[in-house]
Amino acid sequence: MRAGFRRYVAPLGALLMLAAVLCACSSTSAKAPQPTPTSGAIQITLDRASYTSTDPIGVTVTNGSKTKYYALDTHSACTFLQLEFYDTTHKTWAPTLPCKENREPVSLLIAPGMTEPFTLAPGNSSSNGNEWGPGLYRVGITYGTKADASGTVTTAYSKGFQITG
């Protein structure tokens, strides 16, 4: 009876170890939900659904209202756009491409009916300053109705998109 028992213990132990490894892998590789674009006066659209590490990101900002809005140019690449990536370790959105200019912020007008294209050049990869790091991204813009972009502010976001190696 003991010999028969030993014959099943080793394969059972191997199966339990495999199950534990698979459970651990699936919990750490959980993906963030794909963000959807916000609705409101300011809309942010992208020129593609996904990008490679060397593609520039084409962004169009549209003010579909009759209201003047203002935003500060202290965000990604010193524009009023904020490129964010999803940090899977901390499960949060993190800003990238910080403005490195040492100057006072400038308030920019987002005029009523405006449709303006922008381009963000690759440059947040830790291994190559001319590439994007792979992952899930979105573009945001925080704006207000006062000329200094203060007061009650709103943030609009683009849909989420992937950057692949």
Side-chain angles (χ1 to χ4, degrees), residues 38-158:
T38 55
S39 60
I42 305 294
Q43 297 290 308
I44 302 172
T45 55
L46 305 169
D47 66 338
R48 299 182 193 179
S50 64
Y51 299 85
T52 67
S53 63
T54 57
D55 290 333
I57 300 170
V59 180
T60 300
V61 176
T62 302
N63 179 354
S65 75
K66 295 180 180 180
T67 304
K68 291 180 184 179
Y69 292 106
Y70 300 87
L72 298 178
D73 69 345
T74 56
H75 300 287
S76 295
C78 299
T79 68
F80 61 28
L81 300 173
Q82 181 60 67
L83 180 64
E84 298 179 342
F85 71 95
Y86 188 75
D87 183 337
T88 56
T89 303
H90 297 99
K91 296 183 176 29
T92 187
W93 289 97
T96 188
L97 283 183
C99 181
K100 295 180 181 177
E101 293 179 12
N102 189 15
R103 61 174 174 76
E104 289 295 315
V106 174
S107 180
L108 301 171
L109 171 66
I110 306 170
M114 178 187 100
T115 297
E116 190 72 30
F118 295 90
T119 302
L120 294 172
N124 75 339
S125 172
S126 59
S127 62
N128 183 337
N130 293 316
E131 292 184 354
W132 299 116
L136 179 62
Y137 288 79
R138 69 182 180 184
V139 177
I141 182 172
T142 300
Y143 60 94
T145 54
K146 293 187 177 182
D148 64 355
S150 68
T152 302
V153 296
T154 303
T155 302
Y157 291 104
S158 70

Side-chain angles (χ1 to χ4, degrees), residues 2-24:
R2 291 184 77 117
F5 179 73
R6 286 185 188 160
R7 184 174 46 178
Y8 294 106
V9 170
L12 183 58
L15 282 174
L16 289 173
M17 284 179 53
L18 177 62
V21 167
L22 289 176
C23 287

